Amino acid sequence: MEILLKPLVTEKMTELSEKLNRVGFVVDRRATKIDIKRAVEKMYSVKVVSVNTMNYQGKTKSRFTKAGAINGRTVSFKKAIITLVEGDNIDFYSNI
């Protein structure tokens, strides 16, 4: 099971990482906080202080086309906010 699916790179997360030394990831829905902590420490070689998780339910969406209304849902996902030890950081832009 791949735990870390993708990093969250938004304005809000960038501000959190600068001020409070936190990073965000979209993670597997079945992953626990301990699994997420171990995966981040192994992949990025940093020390994790705490992990906070949030489950997001998919929203219902509808759009109107020539054929009529089309209803659907967006994807449900789990988000993890990881607090790192002071002095450690993860640079998502180093590979660009």
Side-chain angles (χ1 to χ4, degrees), residues 2-7 21-27 31-53 80-85 88-90 92:
E2 182 150 346
I3 295 171
L4 303 175
L5 300 179
K6 64 180 179 178
N21 206 22
R22 294 182 177 177
V23 292
F25 290 95
V26 175
V27 297
T32 63
K33 291 182 179 186
I34 296 167
D35 295 337
I36 296 166
K37 179 179 178 178
R38 287 180 184 150
V40 170
E41 287 178 344
K42 183 178 178 185
M43 182 175 273
Y44 293 103
S45 301
V46 293
K47 183 77 174 145
V48 174
V49 174
S50 66
V51 177
N52 297 33
T53 59
I81 308 297
I82 290 108
T83 306
L84 302 174
V85 171
D88 284 352
N89 64 349
I90 297 174
F92 295 123

